[in-house]
Amino acid sequence: MTDTIPTEGKQLFSTVTDDNRLELSMRTVPVGEPGDTEVLIRVDAAPINPSDLGVMLTVADSDSFEAGDDSASAPIPEKLQRAVAARKGVSIPIGNEGAGLVVKAGSSPEAQALLGKTVALAGGGMYATYRIAKANACMVVPEGTTAEEGASSFVNPLTALSMIGTMRLDGYKALIHTAAASNLGQMLVKLCLAEGVDLVNIVRSQEQVDLLKSLGAKYICDMSQPDFAKDLTAAIAETQAFLAFDATGGGRLANQILTAMEAAALKTQKANGPYGSTQYKQVYLYGGLNTAPTELTRGFGMSWGIGGYLLTYFLQRVGQEETAKLRDRVGAELKTTFASAYTSRITLEEAIDPATIAAYNKRATGEKYLITPQA
Amino acid sequence: MTDTIPTEGKQLFSTVTDDNRLELSMRTVPVGEPGDTEVLIRVDAAPINPSDLGVMLTVADSDSFEAGDDSASAPIPEKLQRAVAARKGVSIPIGNEGAGLVVKAGSSPEAQALLGKTVALAGGGMYATYRIAKANACMVVPEGTTAEEGASSFVNPLTALSMIGTMRLDGYKALIHTAAASNLGQMLVKLCLAEGVDLVNIVRSQEQVDLLKSLGAKYICDMSQPDFAKDLTAAIAETQAFLAFDATGGGRLANQILTAMEAAALKTQKANGPYGSTQYKQVYLYGGLNTAPTELTRGFGMSWGIGGYLLTYFLQRVGQEETAKLRDRVGAELKTTFASAYTSRITLEEAIDPATIAAYNKRATGEKYLITPQA
């Protein structure tokens, strides 16, 4: 099997250049030799998740990319340059997760055990033809599962599980999710139904309402409707969902959610004088689909919080043992609860083509791109 | 002593009216009889704190008040009406704290013990000629202390103590304070010096820098200077102050603080890939001097939080015993660490005069108004 492994591979990087451009580049890199406890994976499939787009494109306008030499780049708007200043000059290997075949393994038993197996992996640098990984970071996909089916085994499934986990650890009864018709959102609908957890889904079109209804979702609030604020307040009052996970980040959606939470809280409790309800209300921003500043009008009392949310921090919070249990569950339900669907498959070369960048960054709900580095 | 007590008194209320005006009114109210465990206080002095102004005026423009019948009112701007909708039609007695003489007491020993004593009190409704209170809610001011000296015994002193308490409970090493030249800010400077806690003071003029320097403040960052962001980052890097209390609330100051915290964190740790530092960064908004929306550009990684902050929630968190200790400390240091200075004294009638409203709402640092209901 090692006969067919090249000495050099290709890999994608994202860089904020010294002249304030965002550059996506494909570079030739050595394939390398796995150490004793490592394996070499031939990457067959790696999804483009919204969290990847944030890293890949930062705040660059995806319609303004120009092709370069094995690269594409776009200007970073001046007023946003400071936000990405910390990344200047640092090339970040991109692609959070993916799956592929273990084609070479170190001498340790745990590495050897993976040889010839299809494994899924998270940890960055997956938009590459080959990748070396620690054997204990790999998840063998269940018998009969392809690399494509296993490519999204981490980010979305574990994020969905982490949202419910956070809800339980922090003592909330139900939760709110925005961009709820996304792949992640659909998983969360299925997961919450299975767990008996009330979920308030925020979507932005009738088409998305219909999609989530077809999955069995009970609470769906459509931002495009004039009664959105009223519907959201009613759903929160019924479910007591005072915890929200917002994928959009920018604009006023978090503010609308906190305002609706406060209105819902005041249906069952008196205001604490001028300070609003004592009900604690939390919105976590786990994405930045809307790159505009987050705006808070603060008309929702004094008992509230908003903050960044990263799956990694949740996994650190619950520890290794619980993380392993969550991974096992994902593996077992990879073709049901945690199944992902892709609408487009592209090569590494296509991933840095300006027209393709504009297309995959549209982030249209229901659209999902998969990079197939071997194609 | 009871001979001189009238049967009716005067009291100030703040109301959001049905036609969306903010009304401050002086009403005649019965003085009432204290119950067994209660006392009747003749209110001699009650400060106008920034937290009072938020309740009194909400989002009304303080320059647009018009005099009415024992009242004054101002329109609430249309786009801000929803933020105060929950208060519509509810008259809130105003004045968080104050001090005065106990002129009548219930039959219980703890009430009787207060008769003829000067006490300080928090709990609302202090902009009044008389107020009934639970005996155990009153703090007898130390021998030789006047009502005026005791009037601000709760809000500012306990808030300053609560900031240091929060810092310790949440594991931070130092803290940042905005509007740092305020009465509260000056107390905090003195308190942090006494406690050996590093405090980064954010002010907005050279005059305020000089004032805080004269109190012994070490870290002072002036927003009016071009190097503000750089100075703030350097101060945070030196003190490791990743917790901030912001009195302004609106605009971009919280965002600037989080951005500087992140830059400071990245001086000693590598960025967690594209997700910024892992250093958790927290800004609490404890006031709303700037009524504009809070804007967050989110260029400070994913490990951050922002939220409302209320002294009450801190006191609930630490419990009654600790609260009693904090109060005792305030009493003991009322003429030193926790001394307040007033620049203007006004009557209840003047407090609802449009010109005076405009003046006390300027919230100029160093200016502080005291209401003297018996004058």
Side-chain angles (χ1 to χ4, degrees), chain A residues 275-317:
Chain A
Y275 300 118
S277 77
T278 58
Q279 172 64 52
Y280 192 75
K281 302 165 287 286
Q282 175 73 44
V283 177
Y284 285 115
L285 309 184
Y286 77 94
L289 294 174
N290 181 345
T291 53
T294 313
E295 283 191 19
L296 305 170
T297 57
R298 311 192 306 285
F300 32 73
M302 291 299 266
S303 187
W304 60 274
I306 181 168
Y309 184 85
L310 208 55
L311 170 60
T312 319
Y313 299 145
F314 172 82
L315 297 178
Q316 284 165 357
R317 181 179 178 188

Side-chain angles (χ1 to χ4, degrees), chain B residues 40-204:
Chain B
L40 178 67
I41 302 166
R42 182 194 75 200
V43 182
D44 292 309
I48 302 183
N49 289 314
S51 53
D52 290 306
L53 289 171
V55 180
M56 290 167 74
L57 307 180
T58 68
V59 293
D61 174 5
S62 60
D63 287 327
S64 63
F65 273 81
E66 296 162 20
D69 201 13
D70 276 337
S71 70
S73 70
I76 294 168
E78 192 171 345
K79 60 177 186 168
L80 300 172
Q81 289 171 4
R82 208 170 55 177
V84 295
R87 280 192 48 181
K88 200 174 273 190
V90 184
S91 283
I92 296 182
I94 50 182
N96 278 323
E97 66 181 337
L101 190 69
V102 174
V103 290
K104 207 170 189 177
S107 58
S108 71
E110 71 264 35
Q112 282 295 318
L114 298 180
L115 196 60
K117 296 268 171 61
T118 294
V119 298
L121 178 70
M126 295 302 291
Y127 298 163
T129 49
Y130 289 88
R131 188 180 186 300
I132 288 177
K134 286 277 176 198
N136 62 13
C138 296
M139 179 178 99
V140 177
V141 301
E143 197 70 37
T145 307
T146 64
E148 183 168 319
E149 287 169 333
S152 295
S153 292
F154 291 88
V155 179
N156 279 349
L158 289 177
T159 301
L161 286 165
S162 81
M163 289 173 177
I164 293 183
T166 299
M167 181 197 80
R168 291 190 174 130
L169 285 173
D170 290 347
Y172 294 98
K173 290 179 188 161
L175 68 162
I176 298 171
H177 186 225
T178 75
S182 65
N183 257 273
L184 170 60
Q186 295 177 44
M187 272 181 203
L188 193 60
V189 167
K190 290 186 269 180
L191 192 57
C192 285
L193 280 172
E195 300 270 318
V197 168
D198 280 337
L199 171 68
V200 178
N201 297 277
I202 296 178
V203 298
R204 46 181 184 178

